[in-house]
Amino acid sequence: MFLTSFGKKISFNKLVQTGKNMSQNIAKYSQFVMPDHINVVGTLFGGQMIAWIDLAAAKVAHRLLKGSEADGAVTRTIEQVEFKEPVYLGDWVNFTAKIVAAGTTSIHIEVNAYAEGGKSDPRLACSASLVMVSVKKDEKGKYKKHPHGKTII
């Protein structure tokens, strides 16, 4: 069992330890909030935040899968999203995606999004927990789950 920062227990076939090569375990990604990202109450549309979180998770999964036989990773589930603070037009949203566990094909990722305004300090705006699955195209051209063969040391 693995306990996430949300307090949820997760079971994986093979837990891995983090430490040695942190560059493959963490990725950063930033977005600037533009007028087309704003909802009717003047804050960032929640669906836009989720899309950006998915991109941050994809970036760290991509790094992990470099050199593996897998063709890529797809989102299996977004287990939890917690919107903590509003994000406004003109804010930068800075994402930190971290691999916290991995199984044979699964990659468990936690993403934190920090909003930063021109006159405000960075604040934790959103947290999410995702599972991505490594895939490979088969001989029929369809993507199937495929062991990534990676460990995080």
Side-chain angles (χ1 to χ4, degrees):
M1 288 297 208
F2 181 81
L3 188 63
T4 71
S5 63
F6 291 106
K8 183 175 180 183
K9 290 182 180 178
I10 300 171
S11 175
F12 283 94
N13 294 338
K14 175 178 70 175
L15 281 178
V16 294
Q17 299 172 347
T18 60
K20 187 175 179 186
N21 188 356
M22 292 304 289
S23 65
Q24 75 176 13
N25 300 346
I26 296 174
K28 295 184 182 275
Y29 169 73
S30 296
Q31 281 285 327
F32 186 70
V33 180
M34 301 291 286
D36 59 332
H37 301 141
I38 299 299
N39 62 26
V40 297
V41 298
T43 60
L44 178 66
F45 175 60
Q48 184 64 66
M49 177 68 85
I50 292 170
W52 290 342
I53 284 170
D54 198 30
L55 283 171
K59 184 175 182 180
V60 75
H62 170 79
R63 284 188 178 163
L64 178 71
L65 296 177
K66 283 183 180 178
S68 76
E69 291 184 10
D71 292 326
V74 296
T75 305
R76 170 70 169 96
T77 181
I78 299 176
E79 295 180 333
Q80 184 167 350
V81 177
E82 186 176 348
F83 296 97
K84 297 176 178 280
E85 294 286 334
V87 178
Y88 302 101
L89 177 65
D91 282 353
W92 277 98
V93 184
N94 303 302
F95 300 88
T96 301
K98 180 179 179 182
I99 298 172
V100 294
T104 304
T105 62
S106 61
I107 306 163
H108 182 87
I109 302 164
E110 289 189 356
V111 179
N112 287 318
Y114 297 89
E116 182 177 0
K119 296 178 181 173
S120 65
D121 291 332
R123 63 199 181 277
L124 182 59
C126 190
S127 294
S129 177
L130 301 86
V131 175
M132 302 199 78
V133 174
S134 58
V135 295
K136 184 171 179 64
K137 192 182 285 190
D138 69 14
E139 60 280 346
K140 295 179 183 176
K142 296 194 181 221
Y143 285 96
K144 305 281 184 178
K145 286 195 311 185
H146 186 79
H148 48 68
K150 294 286 187 158
T151 57
I152 302 165
I153 301 170

